[in-house]
Amino acid sequence: MSEESEGELEARLPEGESFEPPESFVEQANVTDESIYEEFEENWPDCWERAADLLDWEASYDQVLEDGDAPFYEWFADGTLNASYNCLDRHVEDGRGDEAAIEWVGEPTDETRTYTYQELLDEVQEFAAALRALGVEEDDVVTLYMPMIPELPVAMLACARIGAPHSVVFAGFSADALATRMNSADSEYLVTCDGYYRRGDPLNHKDKADDGLGSVDHGVETVVVDRLGDELEHDLGDRQRGYDELVGEHAGATVDPVTRDAEDMLFLMYTSGTTGKPKGVKHTTGGYLSYVAWTSHAVLDVKPEDTYWCSADIGWITGHSYIVYGPLALGTSTVMYEGTPDYPEKDRLWEIVDDYDVTQLYTAPTAIRAFMKWGEDYPARHDLSSLRLLGTVGEPINPRAWKWYYKHIGDESCPVVDTWWQTETGGMMITTLPGVGDMKPGSAGPPLPGVSANVVDTNGDDVEPGKAGYLTVDKPWPGMLRTLYHNDDRFIDEYWEEYSDEAAGEWVYFPEDGAKIDDDGYITVLGRVDDVINVSGHRLGTMELESAIVGVEGVAEAAVVGGDHDIKGEAVYAYAITEDGYEGDDDLRERVVEGVEDAIGPIARPEAVIFSPELPKTRSGKIMRRLLEDIANGDELGNTSTLRNPEVVDDIAGKVSDD
Ligand code: WT7
């Protein structure tokens, strides 16, 4: 981008200014009436019927919220429904079977597939029949270790159809990460594929899956999708079946959607936390599906006739909620792209928006910062006028990136929704309603109607506007996690212990984010306050990273922190102490990087590995992470006098600046 145009924009859109929703957008928006905030507050929790009403229920629920066993809340209890029916059958029954459900765009530019609602329903039924034939029963957890290929949403919906919760493991995760998750969920079924394309080259995926299976402590039936055909040969082992063959055996099958209770598990999604073990976040059928349908309607302004695109990976919660379940529940066309934004050229996303007349684009700040760096000429090559709304999620967005997105992608005529939420919340919690509220670049906005979020100090008291504090949520919401799989105690410890007053029956959810609030009630989320690093919008636990590093031969101790990164937001900085007899040389550095990739995956690859004879520790023996962060960022170092070993600081700082 030229310096000039950026300066021009800054002048026109000075910081701190707010933007009204564009008139052209408001005229057609799903939600336009400001009174919705008041209405939800007055009618809480019954206001959430409005979300449930977006679905078709087999049996209606008796009660909106059951809070007798808080914080194990239940939503729409005794209601019954099926998620796959809501995402497929009902649209076909409405005569919309010929309309596109999924517009799949392969990485190779000549490869695309459109699934109409009827076609998607047919394949989902065939695969549901196949899963049953393999032995899958209601409530069995099926692990899906797949990249962005259409068989992934097919498998998710097939699971939902027969009441088998899925656990999707991001394809970029390692074999070890797959095995940990399969063991933790006692999952006896795996759907995976031979491989996929990355920047033009076929990438083997099945070897990784097989490796992972080697560490699973029970028997597993595996289905393998043939994504790459002749490009990559693969063999099927014992208890492994090919997807095409299996689906072929069930061609034309019909499988009735099973009746699920609202509170029955729809899926599990593992995410990183403070301790080394990933947490299995449990989401339910009624509350989750209502919530993602509602937020897709109210925030993303999804309408059946739209071609909506969320560029996340389905391996993360964003893809579950806003590529698959939310958009399909509303009967729209959802775009699914296999590749990366810069292949074969840095205008690939804009080409897709242009080709498909995409109406909403939902992406991440890390992507926007990359687009900014590549420059405005790439989007300028294409007609982006079909866009009506832009969204971002995953990490704080800096006002400069927000404004670039607003101007160069949205042509100043699309509202930008900066949506704060988490794997655990199921769907969006804090953002402006695009047809109602003014936008303030850098601030997510007020909590959504019916959501009660606050910024508090360590005592739980509201902090003054402008001051940093901790984000809390003091009322439940339908999309909330119900527990951590097989671990109710950890569920309470991780999210409820900090700010709740159990004796008084007041339960307060703590998302472990820092935040500030302004006079208008707009919340700016400042980032994690636990030991979680947010790399390109992906959550990585420092404990998981550290245990991977100390698992490397020659490493005695490790500390991992997040350092600032222009594109990724944060990057992994690893500090390691060598064992006696080992040198902190390039060989060991390489092995540390490999250790991390093996334990987690390439997304966790450290930006730098710094060897040091000691780590800075307090007198009580705690590693001073803050100091290590300052060192990683090249910031001025704070007070080091409380350290037991202040002399190591200069030594480490010297090594980082040499790098
Ligand atoms: C963490 C949750 C929600 C799907 C993607 C990430 C950070 C998320 C924002 C935002 C500032 C944000 C928070 C949160 N985060 N959205 N709009 N502004 N920070 O899901 O992996 O569960 O991570 O992402 O720190 O706690 P996740």
Side-chain angles (χ1 to χ4, degrees), residues 162-180:
I162 60 174
H166 51 72
S167 166
V168 179
V169 177
F170 173 57
F173 274 144
S174 67
D176 283 359
L178 171 66
T180 311

PDB file of all heavy atoms in Angstrom, residues 162-180:
ATOM      1  N   ILE A 162     -26.865 -39.284  13.311  1.00  0.00           N
ATOM      2  CA  ILE A 162     -27.055 -40.512  14.081  1.00  0.00           C
ATOM      3  C   ILE A 162     -26.731 -40.311  15.568  1.00  0.00           C
ATOM      4  O   ILE A 162     -26.625 -41.272  16.326  1.00  0.00           O
ATOM      5  CB  ILE A 162     -26.229 -41.682  13.486  1.00  0.00           C
ATOM      6  CG1 ILE A 162     -24.729 -41.362  13.475  1.00  0.00           C
ATOM      7  CG2 ILE A 162     -26.721 -42.009  12.079  1.00  0.00           C
ATOM      8  CD1 ILE A 162     -23.860 -42.547  13.026  1.00  0.00           C
ATOM      9  N   GLY A 163     -26.545 -39.060  15.952  1.00  0.00           N
ATOM     10  CA  GLY A 163     -26.353 -38.763  17.375  1.00  0.00           C
ATOM     11  C   GLY A 163     -24.996 -39.179  17.908  1.00  0.00           C
ATOM     12  O   GLY A 163     -24.844 -39.428  19.099  1.00  0.00           O
ATOM     13  N   ALA A 164     -24.005 -39.241  17.022  1.00  0.00           N
ATOM     14  CA  ALA A 164     -22.644 -39.558  17.456  1.00  0.00           C
ATOM     15  C   ALA A 164     -21.847 -38.254  17.497  1.00  0.00           C
ATOM     16  O   ALA A 164     -21.630 -37.629  16.467  1.00  0.00           O
ATOM     17  CB  ALA A 164     -21.995 -40.540  16.480  1.00  0.00           C
ATOM     18  N   PRO A 165     -21.420 -37.808  18.674  1.00  0.00           N
ATOM     19  CA  PRO A 165     -20.679 -36.547  18.739  1.00  0.00           C
ATOM     20  C   PRO A 165     -19.379 -36.647  17.949  1.00  0.00           C
ATOM     21  O   PRO A 165     -18.717 -37.685  17.981  1.00  0.00           O
ATOM     22  CB  PRO A 165     -20.363 -36.397  20.230  1.00  0.00           C
ATOM     23  CG  PRO A 165     -21.294 -37.318  20.941  1.00  0.00           C
ATOM     24  CD  PRO A 165     -21.601 -38.427  19.992  1.00  0.00           C
ATOM     25  N   HIS A 166     -19.031 -35.585  17.221  1.00  0.00           N
ATOM     26  CA  HIS A 166     -17.735 -35.601  16.530  1.00  0.00           C
ATOM     27  C   HIS A 166     -16.712 -34.827  17.336  1.00  0.00           C
ATOM     28  O   HIS A 166     -17.059 -33.961  18.145  1.00  0.00           O
ATOM     29  CB  HIS A 166     -17.832 -35.067  15.103  1.00  0.00           C
ATOM     30  CG  HIS A 166     -18.502 -33.734  14.952  1.00  0.00           C
ATOM     31  ND1 HIS A 166     -17.916 -32.552  15.351  1.00  0.00           N
ATOM     32  CD2 HIS A 166     -19.714 -33.396  14.441  1.00  0.00           C
ATOM     33  CE1 HIS A 166     -18.740 -31.556  15.075  1.00  0.00           C
ATOM     34  NE2 HIS A 166     -19.839 -32.027  14.533  1.00  0.00           N
ATOM     35  N   SER A 167     -15.464 -35.193  17.101  1.00  0.00           N
ATOM     36  CA  SER A 167     -14.356 -34.452  17.686  1.00  0.00           C
ATOM     37  C   SER A 167     -13.407 -34.177  16.530  1.00  0.00           C
ATOM     38  O   SER A 167     -12.723 -35.081  16.057  1.00  0.00           O
ATOM     39  CB  SER A 167     -13.681 -35.310  18.767  1.00  0.00           C
ATOM     40  OG  SER A 167     -12.426 -34.760  19.107  1.00  0.00           O
ATOM     41  N   VAL A 168     -13.449 -32.954  16.015  1.00  0.00           N
ATOM     42  CA  VAL A 168     -12.612 -32.628  14.862  1.00  0.00           C
ATOM     43  C   VAL A 168     -11.236 -32.214  15.373  1.00  0.00           C
ATOM     44  O   VAL A 168     -11.120 -31.361  16.253  1.00  0.00           O
ATOM     45  CB  VAL A 168     -13.227 -31.498  14.011  1.00  0.00           C
ATOM     46  CG1 VAL A 168     -12.322 -31.167  12.822  1.00  0.00           C
ATOM     47  CG2 VAL A 168     -14.631 -31.873  13.527  1.00  0.00           C
ATOM     48  N   VAL A 169     -10.203 -32.822  14.812  1.00  0.00           N
ATOM     49  CA  VAL A 169      -8.833 -32.452  15.166  1.00  0.00           C
ATOM     50  C   VAL A 169      -8.239 -31.743  13.948  1.00  0.00           C
ATOM     51  O   VAL A 169      -8.210 -32.307  12.847  1.00  0.00           O
ATOM     52  CB  VAL A 169      -7.999 -33.701  15.539  1.00  0.00           C
ATOM     53  CG1 VAL A 169      -6.553 -33.314  15.824  1.00  0.00           C
ATOM     54  CG2 VAL A 169      -8.616 -34.409  16.752  1.00  0.00           C
ATOM     55  N   PHE A 170      -7.814 -30.509  14.135  1.00  0.00           N
ATOM     56  CA  PHE A 170      -7.242 -29.692  13.071  1.00  0.00           C
ATOM     57  C   PHE A 170      -6.163 -30.497  12.320  1.00  0.00           C
ATOM     58  O   PHE A 170      -5.290 -31.107  12.950  1.00  0.00           O
ATOM     59  CB  PHE A 170      -6.639 -28.434  13.715  1.00  0.00           C
ATOM     60  CG  PHE A 170      -5.854 -27.551  12.792  1.00  0.00           C
ATOM     61  CD1 PHE A 170      -6.432 -27.022  11.646  1.00  0.00           C
ATOM     62  CD2 PHE A 170      -4.533 -27.218  13.079  1.00  0.00           C
ATOM     63  CE1 PHE A 170      -5.706 -26.192  10.800  1.00  0.00           C
ATOM     64  CE2 PHE A 170      -3.802 -26.385  12.247  1.00  0.00           C
ATOM     65  CZ  PHE A 170      -4.393 -25.870  11.101  1.00  0.00           C
ATOM     66  N   ALA A 171      -6.237 -30.502  10.987  1.00  0.00           N
ATOM     67  CA  ALA A 171      -5.335 -31.337  10.182  1.00  0.00           C
ATOM     68  C   ALA A 171      -3.869 -30.936  10.357  1.00  0.00           C
ATOM     69  O   ALA A 171      -2.965 -31.750  10.148  1.00  0.00           O
ATOM     70  CB  ALA A 171      -5.733 -31.262   8.706  1.00  0.00           C
ATOM     71  N   GLY A 172      -3.628 -29.701  10.744  1.00  0.00           N
ATOM     72  CA  GLY A 172      -2.246 -29.251  10.933  1.00  0.00           C
ATOM     73  C   GLY A 172      -1.644 -29.752  12.246  1.00  0.00           C
ATOM     74  O   GLY A 172      -0.442 -29.612  12.469  1.00  0.00           O
ATOM     75  N   PHE A 173      -2.476 -30.323  13.104  1.00  0.00           N
ATOM     76  CA  PHE A 173      -1.951 -30.877  14.350  1.00  0.00           C
ATOM     77  C   PHE A 173      -1.170 -32.154  14.057  1.00  0.00           C
ATOM     78  O   PHE A 173      -1.405 -32.834  13.062  1.00  0.00           O
ATOM     79  CB  PHE A 173      -3.085 -31.184  15.334  1.00  0.00           C
ATOM     80  CG  PHE A 173      -3.509 -29.998  16.183  1.00  0.00           C
ATOM     81  CD1 PHE A 173      -4.838 -29.821  16.528  1.00  0.00           C
ATOM     82  CD2 PHE A 173      -2.577 -29.086  16.651  1.00  0.00           C
ATOM     83  CE1 PHE A 173      -5.236 -28.747  17.315  1.00  0.00           C
ATOM     84  CE2 PHE A 173      -2.961 -28.013  17.450  1.00  0.00           C
ATOM     85  CZ  PHE A 173      -4.296 -27.843  17.772  1.00  0.00           C
ATOM     86  N   SER A 174      -0.259 -32.469  14.977  1.00  0.00           N
ATOM     87  CA  SER A 174       0.627 -33.615  14.788  1.00  0.00           C
ATOM     88  C   SER A 174      -0.050 -34.936  15.142  1.00  0.00           C
ATOM     89  O   SER A 174      -1.145 -34.971  15.708  1.00  0.00           O
ATOM     90  CB  SER A 174       1.840 -33.442  15.692  1.00  0.00           C
ATOM     91  OG  SER A 174       1.424 -33.529  17.035  1.00  0.00           O
ATOM     92  N   ALA A 175       0.669 -36.022  14.825  1.00  0.00           N
ATOM     93  CA  ALA A 175       0.223 -37.373  15.170  1.00  0.00           C
ATOM     94  C   ALA A 175       0.004 -37.498  16.680  1.00  0.00           C
ATOM     95  O   ALA A 175      -0.990 -38.058  17.138  1.00  0.00           O
ATOM     96  CB  ALA A 175       1.255 -38.392  14.695  1.00  0.00           C
ATOM     97  N   ASP A 176       0.933 -36.944  17.449  1.00  0.00           N
ATOM     98  CA  ASP A 176       0.808 -37.018  18.914  1.00  0.00           C
ATOM     99  C   ASP A 176      -0.459 -36.328  19.392  1.00  0.00           C
ATOM    100  O   ASP A 176      -1.156 -36.819  20.278  1.00  0.00           O
ATOM    101  CB  ASP A 176       1.983 -36.296  19.605  1.00  0.00           C
ATOM    102  CG  ASP A 176       3.237 -37.141  19.572  1.00  0.00           C
ATOM    103  OD1 ASP A 176       3.183 -38.266  19.031  1.00  0.00           O
ATOM    104  OD2 ASP A 176       4.277 -36.664  20.084  1.00  0.00           O
ATOM    105  N   ALA A 177      -0.718 -35.149  18.816  1.00  0.00           N
ATOM    106  CA  ALA A 177      -1.895 -34.374  19.225  1.00  0.00           C
ATOM    107  C   ALA A 177      -3.159 -35.163  18.901  1.00  0.00           C
ATOM    108  O   ALA A 177      -4.118 -35.171  19.680  1.00  0.00           O
ATOM    109  CB  ALA A 177      -1.910 -33.022  18.521  1.00  0.00           C
ATOM    110  N   LEU A 178      -3.171 -35.844  17.767  1.00  0.00           N
ATOM    111  CA  LEU A 178      -4.319 -36.673  17.387  1.00  0.00           C
ATOM    112  C   LEU A 178      -4.520 -37.785  18.421  1.00  0.00           C
ATOM    113  O   LEU A 178      -5.632 -38.000  18.914  1.00  0.00           O
ATOM    114  CB  LEU A 178      -4.100 -37.269  15.995  1.00  0.00           C
ATOM    115  CG  LEU A 178      -5.115 -38.338  15.553  1.00  0.00           C
ATOM    116  CD1 LEU A 178      -6.506 -37.733  15.377  1.00  0.00           C
ATOM    117  CD2 LEU A 178      -4.671 -39.029  14.258  1.00  0.00           C
ATOM    118  N   ALA A 179      -3.432 -38.471  18.739  1.00  0.00           N
ATOM    119  CA  ALA A 179      -3.528 -39.605  19.673  1.00  0.00           C
ATOM    120  C   ALA A 179      -4.004 -39.146  21.048  1.00  0.00           C
ATOM    121  O   ALA A 179      -4.876 -39.780  21.656  1.00  0.00           O
ATOM    122  CB  ALA A 179      -2.181 -40.307  19.774  1.00  0.00           C
ATOM    123  N   THR A 180      -3.454 -38.033  21.539  1.00  0.00           N
ATOM    124  CA  THR A 180      -3.872 -37.515  22.851  1.00  0.00           C
ATOM    125  C   THR A 180      -5.377 -37.302  22.881  1.00  0.00           C
ATOM    126  O   THR A 180      -6.061 -37.654  23.846  1.00  0.00           O
ATOM    127  CB  THR A 180      -3.206 -36.149  23.125  1.00  0.00           C
ATOM    128  OG1 THR A 180      -1.822 -36.263  22.862  1.00  0.00           O
ATOM    129  CG2 THR A 180      -3.422 -35.670  24.542  1.00  0.00           C
TER     130      THR A 180
END
